[in-house]
Amino acid sequence: MMPSLRCGKVPTTRAKLPARVLIIDDEVLVRWSLSTGLRLAGFDTVTASSSAEALTVARQAPHPDIVLLDSRLYGSDLAVLLEDLRLAAPLCRFVILTTSRHEMPVPPWNGITVITKPFDLVDVVRVVRANLAPACAV
């Protein structure tokens, strides 16, 4: 006799899921290294290489808990992208990745963390955890 092939939903809450990190960078190796390192640290990661792709991902459920965003994303205005991401995922936190040679425009919001490239992956994981500490534990 064949077993029943019924498919059902498994009830779970967002608190049981790992924090979702959206990584937005136009450099494939930066996205890959951040995604791999954060996944190994227990986070759920998604990546985007453009502002349009990032907004599509941010609007999908589950929304990101934190966004790592390259300050010099090709073809994007940082302030406009930040505002659009805030509308797509209002509870999201932001970490801006910038180079030491590039002066980042100061966004009009408080609570945005800045990490200078080149960065140490261990420090990025620490910063992500610190930014998420009030919302969820990983």
Side-chain angles (χ1 to χ4, degrees):
M1 176 170 223
M2 293 290 289
S4 173
L5 296 176
R6 293 179 44 216
C7 183
K9 294 184 178 181
V10 177
T12 186
T13 62
R14 182 71 176 127
K16 293 181 181 178
L17 299 174
R20 187 174 189 99
V21 181
L22 171 57
I23 301 159
I24 310 166
D25 201 300
D26 48 11
E27 294 181 41
V28 68
L29 291 176
V30 173
R31 286 193 316 270
W32 175 83
S33 64
L34 286 170
S35 180
T36 301
L38 289 166
R39 264 191 262 130
L40 288 171
F43 295 98
D44 173 28
T45 63
V46 288
T47 63
S49 61
S50 68
S51 57
E53 187 180 3
L55 288 170
T56 299
V57 171
R59 289 179 179 127
Q60 296 171 351
H63 299 293
D65 298 299
I66 189 164
V67 171
L68 301 182
L69 171 61
D70 182 12
S71 67
R72 297 187 67 170
L73 188 64
Y74 180 76
S76 296
D77 180 315
L78 179 65
V80 171
L81 181 54
L82 280 168
E83 182 62 33
D84 290 345
L85 287 167
R86 281 191 185 269
L87 292 172
L91 301 176
C92 186
R93 291 171 175 78
F94 294 91
V95 175
I96 305 296
L97 307 170
T98 188
T99 61
S100 57
R101 297 178 303 251
H102 178 255
E103 186 176 325
M104 190 186 82
V106 178
W109 308 283
N110 292 328
I112 294 180
T113 305
V114 177
I115 295 177
T116 304
K117 293 179 182 177
F119 49 77
D120 184 344
L121 193 50
V122 172
D123 290 336
V124 174
V125 170
R126 182 184 47 76
V127 167
V128 168
R129 281 194 176 126
N131 274 278
L132 292 171
C136 58
V138 174

